[in-house]
Amino acid sequence: MGFYWIMVLGFTKETVMSMIHICSPTAASSVTGIPQNCIQPNAVDLPIKAIFAIDTTSMFEIGLNHKKHRVNTLVEPIDGYWNLDAGVYEVVYDFEQMEIADDEAGFVIVRSTFNRNGCKLSSGLFDSGFKSNTAAGVLTVCGPTRIEVGVPVGQFILFKSEMLHRYNGSYGLDANGQPKVDEQRYITE
């Protein structure tokens, strides 16, 4: 368990963050389609399904009721490797389905070897109630990088979390198991 001190109006409060393994029988959340060698002691490695180069000169726009994503281009592997120049990429993780249970949440952190080589991965929060057959993060590469197909770039971390309501955003799957509007952009097959 990690202990964190939070300063609130001059007072300190001890808070406990309890991390749990998504593959543990004590976790209510689940992920399927993960190879056995990707199940690590404290987290699950997430292999890459696809990489998109983000055109950083294109406009990203977000309003209260709309999103316009930047233009991105699928990077095709050559001889079993993705060859990346310095830049910003969206990586889509390879698993069958992930479902985050009530009172749990998660995020993806970069694997240490990527971190030590100037490759930074960022992740949004996977809220309670999120259900999807895909998820993505942003990988920033500082120089020429070759990533073999199947190599995990990040690790999924799950933890207990107070929940006020379930996820109801534009990513993930709807009640009928169909991709929501922003999720459809990740369908590569």
Side-chain angles (χ1 to χ4, degrees), residues 77-152:
I78 299 171
D79 297 327
Y81 283 84
W82 283 289
N83 297 294
L84 308 177
D85 293 321
V88 182
Y89 299 87
E90 186 171 23
V91 293
V92 180
Y93 307 117
D94 192 9
F95 55 82
E96 287 174 8
Q97 186 166 307
M98 180 180 288
E99 186 167 356
I100 307 302
D102 292 353
D103 298 318
E104 293 179 352
F107 57 91
V108 179
I109 60 170
V110 69
R111 289 186 58 219
S112 59
T113 300
F114 284 89
N115 191 50
R116 291 179 180 126
N117 285 281
C119 299
K120 304 296 181 189
L121 183 68
S122 58
S123 164
L125 183 69
F126 290 67
D127 287 303
S128 300
F130 178 78
K131 181 179 181 178
S132 180
N133 55 14
T134 190
V138 174
L139 179 67
T140 304
V141 176
C142 73
T145 302
R146 284 173 42 93
I147 303 173
E148 187 174 7
V149 173
V151 168

Side-chain angles (χ1 to χ4, degrees), residues 9-23:
L9 300 176
F11 298 95
T12 59
K13 178 182 177 187
E14 186 177 290
T15 313
V16 177
M17 181 176 169
S18 180
M19 194 168 90
I20 51 180
H21 201 295
I22 194 165
C23 296

Side-chain angles (χ1 to χ4, degrees), residues 4-100:
Y4 297 91
W5 292 95
I6 300 173
M7 189 64 104
V8 180
L9 300 176
F11 298 95
T12 59
K13 178 182 177 187
E14 186 177 290
T15 313
V16 177
M17 181 176 169
S18 180
M19 194 168 90
I20 51 180
H21 201 295
I22 194 165
C23 296
S24 166
T26 62
S29 298
S30 64
V31 63
T32 59
I34 295 292
Q36 191 65 33
N37 65 330
C38 288
I39 299 173
Q40 300 300 321
N42 298 101
V44 173
D45 284 346
L46 295 177
I48 302 169
K49 179 179 186 177
I51 298 180
F52 295 88
I54 297 175
D55 179 354
T56 58
T57 64
S58 65
M59 177 63 71
F60 163 63
E61 180 180 324
I62 188 165
L64 296 174
N65 298 308
H66 73 282
K67 295 176 195 164
K68 180 184 174 209
H69 291 272
R70 293 191 196 279
V71 173
N72 63 26
T73 306
L74 181 65
V75 177
E76 296 287 351
I78 299 171
D79 297 327
Y81 283 84
W82 283 289
N83 297 294
L84 308 177
D85 293 321
V88 182
Y89 299 87
E90 186 171 23
V91 293
V92 180
Y93 307 117
D94 192 9
F95 55 82
E96 287 174 8
Q97 186 166 307
M98 180 180 288
E99 186 167 356
I100 307 302

